[in-house]
Amino acid sequence: MASKFSPRSITDFPISIDKTPTTHQRIPHILQYPSLISHGFHYFMRISSSKGAFSSVISHAVKEELVQSSLVSDESQKSETDQSSSKVVLVVGGTGGVGQLVVASLISRKIKARLLLRDPSKANPLFGEQDDNTLEVCKADTRNPDDLDPTMFEGVAHVICCTGTTAFPSKRWDGDNTPERVDWEGVRNLVSALPPAVKRLVLVSSVGVTKFNELPWSIMNLFGVLKFKKMGEDFVRNSGIPFTIIRAGRLTDGPYTSYDLNTLLKATAGQRRAVLIGQGDKLVGEVSRLVVAEACLQALDIEFTKGQTYEINSVEGDGPGSNPDKWRELFKAVEIQ
């Protein structure tokens, strides 16, 4: 069962994305994320750079769009601000296509982000100089459990994990960055290290993970990516940590992996703003990275999404933007009877 929300008056998302033709019945491609690789010790670092202008650019652009797209009441906005002031969100894979958008939105909403990255230097060109109350970076590799020091999780209430690698062998597999190591072992190690105080873990996964032995999904699973994503999902479900799993369709609008913020900001939304959400691993189609990022952020604070798994696509039409009430309606409408 799937729901679609497409009100005429709702404007665009906080960050614009490219227009991509709608295709729902083709063989889906698998999510591709940057790897998480580390070579040693643990540390927190304050992001500082002469390229801090990047930060003001992205903050201005996102805030401007949020003002234009906001249809939330004054009371709702005040509630969200009060809640944001004390929230710390750990983002794993924060320099990837989806992760960049998650982090940018957190900064624009004044929600403190803590990034777990293999290479902290990549955060600087993207997000610029931020104070410690806005952004922290932690160096670690989820594939190595010894990297996951408990101090990294102090004060963390929410976690968004959007790591991954390519479905087929590629240069991104260099350094043992395979689906087994990233989508299974990395997720397992991360979840095992999380403290029991975590209120919600949102995991980005893929449509088709329950059908990896069936055509056409078996083609995409030739090197195990769907199987290992499903193993990661199952570990999350059995961990006892409150979770929401977002299974994305084929990712469009990007990917934003050039580490060039100008590329991100120049992209346009086109017409793919309407959102389809389903359950039961039945949706087949495409989804913009911005929609996936927004779904992750919205799910953090919707109580009834806890313990649930959703598939998500985007199609032509107006969408929910960053309006929490509209996202709540979308998630609520697809609950399996």
Side-chain angles (χ1 to χ4, degrees), residues 96-150:
V98 173
Q100 291 179 38
L101 297 165
V102 169
V103 175
S105 292
L106 289 170
I107 292 173
S108 72
R109 296 173 189 186
K110 301 187 184 303
I111 301 174
K112 182 175 180 177
R114 183 176 298 164
L115 309 188
L116 193 157
L117 300 175
R118 60 152 186 176
D119 183 1
S121 68
K122 290 183 177 180
N124 224 326
L126 283 175
F127 310 116
E129 184 177 356
Q130 304 290 337
D131 62 39
D132 292 340
N133 293 321
T134 301
L135 188 65
E136 291 180 324
V137 174
C138 175
K139 179 180 174 66
D141 180 355
T142 57
R143 300 171 307 166
N144 181 8
D146 292 335
D147 272 12
L148 301 173
D149 191 282

Side-chain angles (χ1 to χ4, degrees), residues 169-277:
S170 69
K171 184 175 178 58
R172 288 173 59 187
W173 281 29
D174 292 352
D176 200 21
N177 195 50
T178 63
E180 180 176 9
R181 296 284 279 129
V182 176
D183 294 308
W184 161 230
E185 294 181 20
V187 171
R188 179 193 64 195
N189 294 337
L190 172 67
V191 174
S192 297
L194 293 178
V198 169
K199 296 179 179 179
R200 188 72 62 90
L201 163 66
V202 175
L203 173 71
V204 178
S205 185
S206 171
V207 297
V209 294
T210 66
K211 305 172 182 178
F212 61 82
N213 286 324
E214 306 172 16
L215 285 171
W217 308 101
S218 57
I219 297 173
M220 303 307 298
N221 191 55
L222 285 175
F223 294 89
V225 67
L226 293 178
K227 179 184 72 173
F228 293 124
K229 283 183 181 295
K230 179 61 163 56
M231 291 170 64
E233 284 190 9
D234 290 341
F235 193 85
V236 168
R237 291 190 186 91
N238 295 324
S239 67
I241 294 175
F243 71 89
T244 304
I245 295 172
I246 303 293
R247 292 173 176 166
R250 188 182 77 87
L251 292 172
T252 64
D253 310 304
Y256 306 117
T257 53
S258 63
Y259 303 103
D260 179 356
L261 187 59
N262 289 325
T263 299
L264 175 65
L265 296 176
K266 288 177 182 177
T268 58
Q271 303 300 316
R272 299 180 61 84
R273 299 185 299 270
V275 177
L276 295 175
I277 298 180

Side-chain angles (χ1 to χ4, degrees), residues 308-328:
Q308 298 295 317
T309 300
Y310 301 95
E311 292 81 48
I312 186 166
N313 286 344
S314 57
V315 296
E316 290 189 6
D318 294 328
S322 58
N323 188 315
D325 294 331
K326 303 307 180 183
W327 277 98
R328 183 179 296 272

Side-chain angles (χ1 to χ4, degrees), residues 8-21:
R8 295 181 181 177
S9 60
I10 294 191
T11 55
D12 210 345
F13 284 85
I15 302 176
S16 296
I17 48 183
D18 289 332
K19 179 177 180 180
T20 305

